[in-house]
Amino acid sequence: MSVNRPNWLKHGSNLRLVFLVLWFGCHVCYSQLEDTNDFNNPSVLPLFTQMVYSKLSNSTAALSHELATRAKFCVKDPDADWNRAFNFSTNLDFLSSCIKKTQGDIGRRICTVAEMKFYLNAFFFKSNNPGYLQQNRNCNLTAWVSGCEPGWACSVDSTEQVDLQNSKDFPERTRNCMSCCEGFFCPRGLTCMIPCPLGAHCPLATLNERTSLCEPYTYQLPPGRLNHTCGGANVWADIRSSAEVFCSAGSYCPSNTLKVSCASGHYCRMGSTSEKPCFKLSSCNPNTANQNMHAFGVMVIFGVITILLIIYNCSDQILTTRERRQAKSREAAVKKAKAHQRWKVAKKHVTEIRAQITRTLSGKTHHHDVEAHKTMDRGYSSDVGLSKYSSPESFSAVQPICEVEDDAATRSNERASETERKRIKKSSSQILKDAYSQIEKERAIELECKDLTFSGLVNMATFSEVRKKRTLMELSFKDLTLTLKSNGKHLLRCVTGSMKPSRITAVMGPSGAGKTSLLSALAGKAVGCSLSGLILINGKQESIHSYKKIIGFVPQDDIVHGNLTVEENIWFHAKCRLPAGQSKGDKVLVVERVIDSLGLQTVRSCLVGTVEKRGISGGQRKRVNVGLEMVMEPSILFLDEPTSGLDSASSQLLLKALRHEALEGVNVCMVVHQPSYTLFRMFQDLVLLAKGGLTVYHGPVNEVEDYFSGLGIIVPERINPPDYYIDVLEGIVTDLNSDVGYKELPQRWMLHKGYSVPVDMQKNNSSKHPVMNPDAVHNTNCNAEQTFVRELWGDVNSNFMFHSDTIRHNFLRSRDLSCRRTPSMWLQYKYFLGRIAKQRMREAKLQATDYLILLLAGACLGSLIKASDDSFGAPGYTYTIIAVCKLETYLLIQVSLREIFLLFFFSFWLALLCKIAALRSFSLDKLHYWRESASGMSSLACFLAKDTIDCFNTLVKPLVYLSMFYFFTNPRSTFFDNYIVLVCLVYCVTGIAYALAIFLQPGSAQLFSVLLPVVLTLVATQPKNSEVMKIIADLCYPKWALEAFVIGNAEKYYGVWMITRCGSLMKSGYDINKWNLCIMILFLIGVVTRNIAFVGMLILQKR
């Protein structure tokens, strides 16, 4: 068998190497390394160094696990932290040098686990001077050898064996004292050596004759010991106590005995073990500690600005272009509709002429038609008003005549064709064309109906079929009395009457007569009052809230979104409040019909405007306010002084639109304050109230003058009747030619209608004082005698009753009887989302200002506060989350007063701007929300839509801020870690701002948004000496935000920074394992505060 000689020699050399290693292992274990002649052998020294390193690794590993057990708050991964601190496998030169220096006695000089734990205990017990330890077996008052001095170490007796794994007992180490080896440190009070961790630089010290210090360290030679020299390093502690041990900034230390200057194009932070290359766009000079990343900041700034400009400009351009295209399509549809209608009129006229010519030539006369014409002309003269035929009975009476003219087969064919057309999806232009064709047709029918001839009646009947009738609702009330719960004052008393569909009822009276109170009582909006009497809907006693989906209420104030156009305002209410199954074409027809009837065609694409930004006129705004309720096709429409502030022409235009609504069966009830005579004659029914909420008249308008004439109250010539009646009820007109005083008018009306008169009104009939409730009079007399405390308690009690009544009213739920299925919550969420997005896009300048201030705040904070390694970047983070706290809590160095002042000036911008932006989301739209919620729109959809839009700012604003702050401060933590914390912080403060905006007034909310972060930060950073303070601090969001920032940065500090990291986290009470918990708590606070804000929306809304 042949043998490969090279392989044999190779295997033989390997065997010799294995035997040599085993021999050295036995030599170390049993002979305690007594043979010192072999350590100068270059082939033996590396092997012996590996054996020593193995023992050293076991002891440091045991120490690392001990530290992980005792200091879990600062050690996340014990193995990783050990590798970063004591894994010297890449360079063991300092061990070889120490072996040579100690002649192999290094094993007796290295500290055991017990001695290392003793050293680290000084930090856990918060010793004031970690470099000076407590007394122990080797260093005490009776025995103080040279090895107890800083920078020196001793050996154990040669007969004593040292177990480096011993974690309980100290060996007697007092022999052969000498200076500490290079790469180790020897603290004062211990006679052993501890290896310096990676990232440290521990050379031998040299004596400075001038300062008597052992440089680069800060200890001095002991007095009285002339032979004592400077040794090695003396302490490894936090950065403030042992900065000289750390590898200096601008240099890196591949081993704990070698320091190399950082080359150009690289940067080296303090405590670095290697140099890191700079990014391509950053600049790094030689010996620099940080890379200049301003170029990245500028790139991010320009990127963010470019994206925002594209979004806002393109979105605005998209909106403008879309509106322009819609306007063109609408104009084209109007032109086609008008042309088509003119063609139909011309065709009809030609047909009539042809028929007339045919009859003339044939000589035939249709006697039946002539007689019918004569009959209809006698029965319905041209001077009869249209109001007499606006009731449902009129339309039903006319219906048979329409059936004579219609052909059943034709109607069935038309229905079939219409069904087929609905199956085909129409374009927007076709939908607009159909809508305007229908509107033009209705106009033509309306013109023909002015003269009620035979053909006019036929067209009117057709008109009633074309315009779909609403659900007819008659509202009747009996002995309706409304009394304030606080003082017992009557707002309404014994009001009886009814409001019928297809009629317009005007409620009039002097100031304080209870006109708005009557409207609120009928609409179910009376809060803080006790209501008695009956309110019947179609003869049944049911809650008015059961029909809120088909009841419109126009408030006195013009609550319209100013940053939306007229068309957008009306369209939003149409989409959210019309039936969900209604086709788009029908909705377009409804919207266009409302805009056309209110005369808003010329301003449909104009912004409504706000106080700061001028928009449409006041009269047009008032009509838009009414149009929001007309577009939902109500069955009952309440209006609170819709003509106030309008001129005569605008008022007549509005009344004309309301009359069109009445023609469809709508029950219109409106409060009017002294209308003109022309306007007064356009009403059909009148409710006239006197002071105290008493009825003076309730009936048709054309009979009011006859009634008062019967009482001897005759309106003089050239005097407007409503003005005169109100003056009479005010007591201004005294020279009445009647034996009835104005105070007796309510009683006369009750007697006229056969109602029962209250006893107190009969007794006080002849009294000069106004009629009041006897209970109220008694309460007034009692109030005059009660003390201030009782009066104050009464006010508090009444206020509490009012708010409790409001909450009960808001949470009142009733069965839906309206038979209208409005869009679901998610569909309304979609509509709200589109509306709010448009509003925010039109606030681009305001948004740009917020981002500009954020950029300024980030640049100023980043320039003024650098991410110092000794504080883990706590100053910038503290001020980022709006903190003015005790800097000693988080900082390990002092900050000058100038920095504190400047940083405080810029500290609150980020969270403050985010809060102010969130305040704008709800503070400015409270009235709009209350109106929309009262009309049946989903409160949850509104809240979620606003929060979804604000999420854009939640994601972008931290990016804008960090683009300046991060690249100016250049912390060790990653950009993504800072971004995640900042996003959660902004999400948290946004939720708090929601709650402040909903529960407080705008001024108070802004004040609290500024003060609350400062107060919470002060509370969170106070010393937690008791459990109560700890619980209170845990409830403060700045505590969790700052902890997340510091932990994220502290994780990047390892090796020589381990004690600094543990000391700082222990002092501040932070846990390095709780970063995820901090993020979750910030997010949870944001969710909880949003839920609180939403509940506040439901509780505090005004129906």
Side-chain angles (χ1 to χ4, degrees), residues 911 914-915 918-919 922 943 947 950 954 983-999 1012 1037 1082-1094:
C914 296
K915 281 190 176 182
L919 290 178
F922 286 93
F943 186 88
D947 190 32
D950 284 339
T954 303
V983 166
C984 293
L985 174 61
V986 174
Y987 184 79
C988 173
V989 299
T990 302
I992 295 174
Y994 287 168
L996 293 177
I998 290 172
F999 284 96
L1012 188 63
Y1037 76 89
L1082 287 175
F1083 180 78
L1084 184 62
I1085 293 175
V1087 173
V1088 170
T1089 51
R1090 278 166 171 78
N1091 288 328
I1092 294 174
F1094 178 67

Side-chain angles (χ1 to χ4, degrees), residues 421-527:
R421 286 197 301 268
K422 286 183 178 179
R423 293 177 184 176
I424 303 173
K425 189 175 181 181
K426 298 181 180 180
S427 62
S428 299
S429 59
Q430 184 63 36
I431 291 174
L432 286 172
K433 180 182 176 181
D434 294 344
Y436 279 103
S437 297
Q438 183 66 27
I439 293 174
E440 290 297 327
K441 182 179 179 181
E442 293 173 2
R443 278 183 184 167
I445 294 175
E446 181 182 356
L447 291 175
E448 292 181 4
C449 290
K450 285 184 177 180
D451 296 328
L452 295 182
T453 60
F454 177 78
S455 60
L457 285 175
V458 174
N459 289 332
M460 184 190 296
T462 309
F463 178 71
S464 65
E465 285 187 354
V466 171
R467 298 193 66 172
K468 179 181 58 178
K469 278 186 170 295
R470 318 283 172 83
T471 302
L472 302 181
M473 294 180 63
E474 181 180 354
L475 199 62
S476 57
F477 40 93
K478 182 178 181 181
D479 291 333
L480 191 63
T481 301
L482 192 66
T483 308
L484 287 176
K485 293 182 179 180
S486 58
N487 55 12
K489 179 182 177 181
H490 288 310
L491 300 179
L492 295 173
R493 192 173 187 194
C494 300
V495 179
T496 303
S498 64
M499 298 177 182
K500 298 180 180 180
S502 301
R503 299 182 71 84
I504 301 178
T505 303
V507 181
M508 297 175 56
S511 298
K515 303 183 294 296
T516 303
S517 299
L518 176 60
L519 225 62
S520 299
L522 295 178
K525 296 178 179 292
V527 180

Side-chain angles (χ1 to χ4, degrees), residues 218-488:
T218 57
Y219 63 87
Q220 294 179 329
L221 295 178
R225 296 188 180 184
L226 300 178
N227 294 329
H228 197 90
T229 60
C230 291
N234 66 314
V235 65
W236 170 43
D238 58 80
I239 185 67
R240 184 174 57 180
S241 304
S242 60
E244 62 275 4
V245 177
F246 287 70
C247 189
S248 60
S251 302
Y252 68 98
C253 299
S255 68
N256 49 19
T257 59
L258 178 64
K259 183 168 70 172
V260 182
S261 298
C262 214
S264 178
H266 297 77
Y267 70 99
C268 303
R269 299 179 186 268
M270 179 179 283
S272 298
T273 58
S274 61
E275 57 182 359
K276 295 183 179 180
C278 296
F279 294 132
K280 292 182 179 180
L281 296 179
S282 60
S283 58
C284 294
N285 297 323
N287 301 327
T288 184
N290 291 303
Q291 54 181 337
N292 188 352
M293 301 178 68
H294 295 176
F296 280 97
V298 173
M299 288 180 59
V300 173
I301 292 171
F302 278 107
V304 172
I305 292 176
T306 303
I307 293 173
L308 292 176
L309 287 177
I310 291 174
I311 292 175
Y312 287 125
N313 289 337
C314 290
S315 60
D316 186 59
Q317 190 64 34
I318 290 172
L319 290 177
T320 304
T321 305
R322 183 170 177 268
E323 291 173 359
R324 190 185 303 116
R325 289 176 61 88
Q326 287 181 348
K328 289 181 179 179
S329 300
R330 189 166 51 247
E331 291 174 0
V334 171
K335 291 180 180 179
K336 289 181 180 179
K338 289 183 177 179
H340 182 67
Q341 188 62 32
R342 287 195 299 267
W343 179 81
K344 288 179 66 177
V345 172
K347 180 180 178 182
K348 182 179 179 181
H349 185 63
V350 170
T351 304
E352 291 177 352
I353 293 174
R354 185 179 62 182
Q356 185 177 2
I357 293 173
T358 303
R359 286 196 301 269
T360 303
L361 294 176
S362 62
K364 296 181 180 180
T365 305
H366 300 278
H367 300 284
H368 177 71
D369 292 343
V370 173
E371 292 296 327
H373 276 284
K374 291 181 179 180
T375 304
M376 297 307 299
D377 288 339
R378 286 196 301 269
Y380 305 101
S381 61
S382 60
D383 58 342
V384 177
L386 183 61
S387 60
K388 290 185 178 181
Y389 302 95
S390 60
S391 63
E393 293 79 8
S394 302
F395 288 114
S396 62
V398 179
Q399 188 66 24
I401 304 176
C402 301
E403 292 177 355
V404 173
E405 299 292 331
D406 291 336
D407 183 46
T410 306
R411 287 207 312 267
S412 61
N413 293 333
E414 289 178 354
R415 287 196 210 100
S417 60
E418 183 179 358
T419 305
E420 187 66 26
R421 286 197 301 268
K422 286 183 178 179
R423 293 177 184 176
I424 303 173
K425 189 175 181 181
K426 298 181 180 180
S427 62
S428 299
S429 59
Q430 184 63 36
I431 291 174
L432 286 172
K433 180 182 176 181
D434 294 344
Y436 279 103
S437 297
Q438 183 66 27
I439 293 174
E440 290 297 327
K441 182 179 179 181
E442 293 173 2
R443 278 183 184 167
I445 294 175
E446 181 182 356
L447 291 175
E448 292 181 4
C449 290
K450 285 184 177 180
D451 296 328
L452 295 182
T453 60
F454 177 78
S455 60
L457 285 175
V458 174
N459 289 332
M460 184 190 296
T462 309
F463 178 71
S464 65
E465 285 187 354
V466 171
R467 298 193 66 172
K468 179 181 58 178
K469 278 186 170 295
R470 318 283 172 83
T471 302
L472 302 181
M473 294 180 63
E474 181 180 354
L475 199 62
S476 57
F477 40 93
K478 182 178 181 181
D479 291 333
L480 191 63
T481 301
L482 192 66
T483 308
L484 287 176
K485 293 182 179 180
S486 58
N487 55 12

Side-chain angles (χ1 to χ4, degrees), residues 39 42 45 79 106 292 308 326 389 411 459 461 651 678 713 725 782 894 1011 1086:
F39 299 122
L45 183 60
D79 296 332
I106 184 174
N292 188 352
L308 292 176
Q326 287 181 348
Y389 302 95
R411 287 207 312 267
N459 289 332
S651 299
T678 305
I713 302 175
Y725 295 145
C782 295
Q894 293 183 349
L1011 295 180

